[in-house]
Amino acid sequence: GGGGKRKAAQPKKEEKAFALPIAATNSSAAAPTTEKSMEPIGALAELNVVAAKLDAVFVFLPGKDGTSSNSPASTMNQAARTIEAQGKKIGLFTLLPSSHDYDQIEGKISLPAVLAMAKGRGMNAISGDITETKLVQGYLVASSAGGGGPSAGARCCPPEGV
């Protein structure tokens, strides 16, 4: 059993130990994984109020026939957790099919879909096979879009503050 006390007098060895507990805490799965609820909104402009403290949002657009059984809520939660691990705050919302914005978007992208929207940046629509990877990539595309710069998905929806 090695208990060699040869280097006990060197305090420099001690200093390195302080970084370990901090690094280990973040990667541990001890943090409670709380599922975010999908808050219903009647207009994308509502995000300026309900998501004012958030960095980005995922907005689910259900199919018009109301097949909410395919709701990607758990997938959206996983993507949100992945992004929040980088220190961002993410909100999850559902755009009501009865809303005016829904009518504007319908026909421009295939539904059901999820809009990844980064505050003050851009947005990106994810449809078809909605996976955590696609959602995270959609967020990255939206957040790297310049404010007001031309973006692939930005034309489909009303600008912020309408």
Side-chain angles (χ1 to χ4, degrees):
K5 294 181 179 177
R6 286 187 304 259
K7 299 186 177 179
Q10 293 180 347
K12 281 181 183 171
K13 279 274 191 242
E14 302 265 333
E15 287 174 31
K16 285 184 181 172
F18 284 102
L20 291 173
I22 298 155
T25 315
N26 289 348
S27 60
S28 83
T33 54
T34 50
E35 290 280 301
K36 296 174 187 294
S37 61
M38 307 274 289
E39 243 178 282
I41 55 171
L44 293 177
E46 287 180 31
L47 293 171
N48 291 330
V49 178
V50 295
K53 295 186 173 73
L54 303 175
D55 296 300
V57 296
F58 287 126
V59 182
F60 175 53
L61 282 67
K64 199 70 162 189
D65 52 8
T67 53
S68 57
S69 57
N70 296 352
S71 167
S74 61
T75 307
M76 290 166 72
N77 266 287
Q78 289 168 346
R81 277 200 291 272
T82 300
I83 296 163
E84 288 183 332
Q86 298 162 17
K88 303 289 182 192
K89 287 193 174 73
I90 309 294
L92 304 182
F93 300 90
T94 300
L95 183 62
L96 300 172
S98 56
S99 70
H100 177 68
D101 285 345
Y102 185 99
D103 292 336
Q104 297 294 307
I105 297 167
E106 190 185 23
K108 298 197 173 84
I109 59 176
S110 63
L111 302 176
V114 175
L115 297 178
M117 305 173 73
K119 186 161 71 177
R121 293 290 185 163
M123 60 185 293
N124 196 18
I126 299 97
S127 57
D129 184 24
I130 297 169
T131 63
E132 180 190 350
T133 305
K134 280 188 183 175
L135 289 173
V136 172
Q137 285 172 344
Y139 158 77
L140 292 172
V141 169
S143 63
S144 63
S151 159
R155 288 190 306 281
C156 82
C157 309
E160 278 187 57
V162 169

